[in-house]
Amino acid sequence: MTWLPLLGTLVGAAIALGSSLLVERRRERKEERVERRKAKQEMYARYLAVHAEARAQLRVLSLAAELTDEERGYRAFTAYAGCYASRYELEVLAPRPVLTAARDFDRRARELRDLVIEGTHVAPRAGGRMQEYLDAMKGVHAAMRGDLGADGVE
């Protein structure tokens, strides 16, 4: 009879300890998911901002008639150079659908850069390669939003 209260206390303590550990582990997992989502949001924002800046610089270069071919080429390569670091950053955290869309988008951005180097005017409504670039940009936006669950999909 004297062992029953002690055994009950030990069982109660084991249950309490187990449930505390379970609750703590769940809290840690939730915090990890929140931190990972925030890191992805920041990374995606940097990636898109760098590409937006490069696109703006390329458009300005495509309109600059006073530049020599060498100057235009150098400035176009420089405008796109900032996109490399953000693309490699995606390789670390982004899931496969985002990477696939980002690779297509990067390819279209390089094609746009090459058009500027050739001296082609790049306008948003010009169609052709610019439209392919804009479509790829929409694709990467959709993949990123899907990954973040911004459209109610996780």
Side-chain angles (χ1 to χ4, degrees), residues 44-122:
Y44 293 165
R46 277 191 304 274
Y47 176 85
L48 294 173
V50 167
H51 271 275
E53 178 65 26
R55 180 178 63 248
Q57 289 179 17
L58 290 173
R59 288 206 52 232
V60 167
L61 287 173
S62 76
L63 298 172
E66 73 280 354
L67 294 176
T68 66
D69 290 344
E70 288 178 0
E71 282 181 296
R72 180 178 288 105
Y74 173 76
R75 289 185 185 182
F77 274 108
T78 303
Y80 182 77
C83 297
Y84 287 112
S86 64
R87 187 181 77 207
Y88 293 133
E89 191 178 7
L90 283 181
E91 298 287 338
V92 177
L93 288 176
R96 184 73 39 212
V98 173
L99 290 177
T100 301
R103 287 178 184 141
D104 182 48
F105 182 53
D106 282 327
R107 184 176 56 253
R108 302 299 178 189
R110 287 190 308 273
E111 289 172 357
L112 202 62
R113 175 203 62 198
D114 294 344
L115 285 175
V116 170
I117 290 170
E118 293 169 4
T120 305
H121 174 64
V122 179

Side-chain angles (χ1 to χ4, degrees), residues 101 104-105 108 131-141:
D104 182 48
F105 182 53
R108 302 299 178 189
Q131 189 58 50
E132 291 172 0
Y133 171 85
L134 294 172
D135 290 343
M137 183 175 64
K138 288 177 187 175
V140 80
H141 284 173

